[in-house]
């Protein structure tokens, strides 16, 4: 397993490497102290996960997340941050992160979160789920909204639940990004939600499996 650590604090990177050494049988860590340094790695680098500090020197925050998501198509990006604002966490997922792990999380929580992401899921801390899920729940329509979707729309939603970016979904489904956006928009309307994150929560509650 190949993990790219993007954090400007060397001591923190060393600690993360110790914590995650047993995540898989053979873990290889690549380190970058900034977004610019991370982007110097080839887009084709055999990476499985990128762990991104939200507050970096230079390009940081959502700008760094967008830049890395555009450069590296395949690896899942997980934000590691001291930030715990639910709205910020939800936006990170909307911007393409496959997870958001507060730096205050325990070793057990971090390992479980990364295993979930590696299995194709999306991890948010419990307080962020509580902060955003009710909005989607109150907007649901009676009956089974998933039944209103076409098979292609359901498949698009399922791939979105796996944390895949629109261009990756478009390639896997052999359609344009515009078609992916149209399918997701139809899913939002059927589920009575406003964005990708709420759609993921609602679809999961309705029993859609990734």
């Amino acid at each position: 397993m190949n993990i790219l650590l993007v954090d400007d604090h060397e001591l923190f990177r060393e600690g993360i490497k110790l914590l995650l050494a047993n995540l898989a049988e053979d873990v290889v860590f690549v380190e970058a102290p900034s977004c610019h340094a991370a982007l110097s790695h080839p887009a084709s680098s055999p990476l499985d996960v990128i762990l991104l500090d939200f507050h970096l020197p230079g390009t940081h925050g959502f700008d760094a997340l967008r830049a890395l998501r555009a450069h590296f198509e395949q690896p899942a990006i997980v934000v590691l941050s001291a930030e715990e604002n639910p709205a910020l966490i939800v936006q990170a997922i909307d911007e393409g992160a496959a997870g958001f792990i507060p730096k205050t999380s325990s070793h057990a929580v971090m390992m479980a979160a990364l295993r979930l992401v590696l299995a194709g899921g999306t991890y948010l801390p419990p307080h962020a789920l509580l902060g955003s899920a009710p909005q989607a729940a109150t907007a649901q329509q009676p009956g089974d909204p998933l039944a209103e979707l076409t098979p292609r729309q359901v498949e698009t939603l399922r791939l979105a639940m796996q944390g895949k970016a629109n261009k990756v979904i478009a390639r896997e489904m052999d359609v344009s990004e515009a078609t992916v956006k149209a399918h997701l928009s139809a899913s939002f309307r059927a589920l009575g939600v406003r964005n990708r994150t709420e759609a993921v929560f609602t679809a999961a509650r309705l029993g859609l499996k990734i």
Side-chain angles (χ1 to χ4, degrees), residues 4-7 32 34-43 47 49-54 56 59-79 95-97 165 167:
L4 172 60
L5 298 176
V6 189
D7 193 292
S34 67
C35 179
H36 177 75
L39 293 173
S40 69
H41 292 278
L47 297 173
V49 181
I50 298 173
L51 299 181
L52 171 67
D53 181 23
F54 199 72
L56 293 167
T59 305
H60 63 281
F62 295 118
D63 288 337
L65 175 56
R66 294 183 195 110
L68 291 174
R69 183 71 285 165
H71 185 68
F72 297 104
E73 291 187 11
Q74 294 302 326
I77 300 177
V78 177
V79 176
E95 295 283 357
K167 61 183 173 182

Side-chain angles (χ1 to χ4, degrees), residues 132-150 153-161 182-209:
S132 58
Q135 296 173 344
T138 57
Q140 288 183 34
Q141 302 299 319
D144 180 9
L146 293 175
E148 301 177 19
L149 302 176
T150 68
Q153 289 168 348
V154 170
E155 181 61 21
T156 303
L157 182 56
R158 181 178 288 108
L159 292 172
M161 292 173 70
H183 285 339
L184 289 176
S185 293
S187 299
F188 298 167
R189 288 193 298 273
L191 297 173
V193 300
R194 299 172 297 181
N195 55 48
R196 176 190 284 241
T197 305
E198 291 182 359
V200 166
F201 294 146
T202 304
R205 279 199 303 274
L206 291 171
L208 184 61
K209 304 297 184 183

Side-chain angles (χ1 to χ4, degrees), residues 85-116:
N85 184 327
L88 184 149
I89 293 172
V90 169
Q91 185 177 347
I93 303 301
D94 284 339
E95 295 283 357
F100 193 110
I101 305 175
K103 286 187 173 181
T104 54
S105 300
S106 68
H107 176 217
V109 167
M110 185 174 293
M111 293 288 278
L114 289 175
R115 287 192 175 109
L116 173 63

